[in-house]
Structures are given as structure tokens and as C-alpha cells.
Amino acid sequence: MRSALFAALPALLLPAITSAYSGDMTYYTPGLGSCGITNNSNDLVVALSIPMMGNGANPNNNPKCGSWIGIWNPVTKTKHEAQVVDTCFACHYTDIDVSPALFKLVAPDGDGRVHGIDWGGPMRIETTGKIRRALGAIVLGVRLPMLKHERSRVSQLYLLIEPLLK
């Protein structure tokens, strides 16, 4: 029970994309994205629309950065994962812009724009070592030395999952 809960915690506790959408898929040449991550055309990455990303004053701190979404092509019946690394300034609300490598996987016969692509998430969340350590301490009941700000985060997380541990 605890190991299954531990595996699900990042998706339960960290902000992410948690709905299903349908829109157009286009491709772009990745570089240094709005998340502060540099990628290339061979990486399986995605840029979301401005309103979907909801970047604050510092887009590098956007909680959607680094999350993984699933992309489904209902015509080819293929599903792939992509990491959110950028903002698409030309995309409508539910459209996505993907790397050329991902575009070829999802829509091998696509001509640059494919309509009716379904996507959503989270598929998985990349967590930092500090968060993983905090989650491990909560689930396993282990006391680890933590900094003051880490203890505060652990306390907040514990309040959310305490009922699930009983």
C-alpha cells in the first residue's frame, strides 16, 4: 500500500496539467525554452499555449515546467509522452507545439499541422531530490535531517496525505 501511494504522490501533490484536451499539433525547432531548459529537435518536448502555461513573473518557476503529458493521435492510435519545456505564442488554447522528432512519432504522415490531437496529463512529474526525500519521509515514516523550509513543505504535504496512510 505504501509503495503504491509513494509512487502516486508526485502526481497527487505537485501542480500539473490534470485534464484532457483536444487541439491542433504543430512543430517547432526547440532551443532555450520559457522553462529555462535547452532542448533540440530530437528531444520529445512540447510547448503549451500562453493561457495553458499561465507563466508568472518568472516562467522558469512555472510548476508545469518539467511535467510530462500524454499525446494521443486517434487516427494512428498511437500514444507518446512529452515533457513540457516551453510556451507556444502562436497556439490557440488547446493547441500544442512539439519537437520535430515527436511530431514524426505522433503523426508520421502529418504535413506540419494535424487537427484533433488529444493530449493531457500528468503522465509523470519530475521531482527534485528534496521533494522525493520529503515524500519518502512522509510515506515511510522516516525522520531525515531537513532544512527549515523543507520541514514546512513536508508538514503541508503530510496534512494532505495523512488520511490516506491510515
Side-chain angles (χ1 to χ4, degrees):
M1 162 79 175
R2 285 186 179 206
S3 63
L5 180 60
F6 181 64
L9 277 176
L12 293 171
L13 300 176
L14 299 177
I17 303 153
T18 57
S19 299
Y21 303 97
S22 186
D24 288 359
M25 180 181 71
T26 54
Y27 67 90
Y28 74 111
T29 303
L32 178 60
S34 64
C35 293
I37 302 167
T38 301
N39 294 98
N40 64 50
S41 296
N42 295 318
D43 295 325
L44 302 181
V45 294
V46 62
L48 304 180
S49 67
I50 293 171
M52 190 66 68
M53 280 297 282
N55 290 324
N58 183 354
N60 292 334
N61 295 331
N62 189 324
K64 291 179 180 137
C65 289
S67 63
W68 289 78
I69 64 168
I71 301 171
W72 169 258
N73 183 337
V75 174
T76 62
K77 308 229 182 302
T78 58
K79 181 179 173 185
H80 300 278
E81 290 184 357
Q83 188 173 31
V84 177
V85 297
D86 206 353
T87 304
C88 176
F89 292 91
C91 291
H92 293 292
Y93 185 68
T94 61
D95 294 347
I96 55 175
D97 212 5
V98 301
S99 65
L102 183 60
F103 190 91
K104 287 177 188 171
L105 287 173
V106 177
D109 298 326
D111 63 356
R113 177 175 297 273
V114 179
H115 305 287
I117 296 295
D118 298 328
W119 64 274
M123 295 301 294
R124 62 180 185 222
I125 304 294
E126 296 295 314
T127 58
T128 65
K130 289 179 181 178
I131 297 297
R132 279 193 298 270
R133 190 172 75 194
L135 293 173
I138 292 169
V139 174
L140 302 175
V142 176
R143 292 189 181 266
L144 297 172
M146 290 185 218
L147 301 174
K148 185 176 183 178
H149 71 278
E150 289 180 307
R151 281 194 300 271
S152 172
R153 181 77 184 245
V154 169
S155 297
Q156 292 169 1
L157 294 174
Y158 186 77
L159 290 175
L160 290 173
I161 66 164
E162 181 182 24
L164 301 173
L165 297 174
K166 294 180 180 179

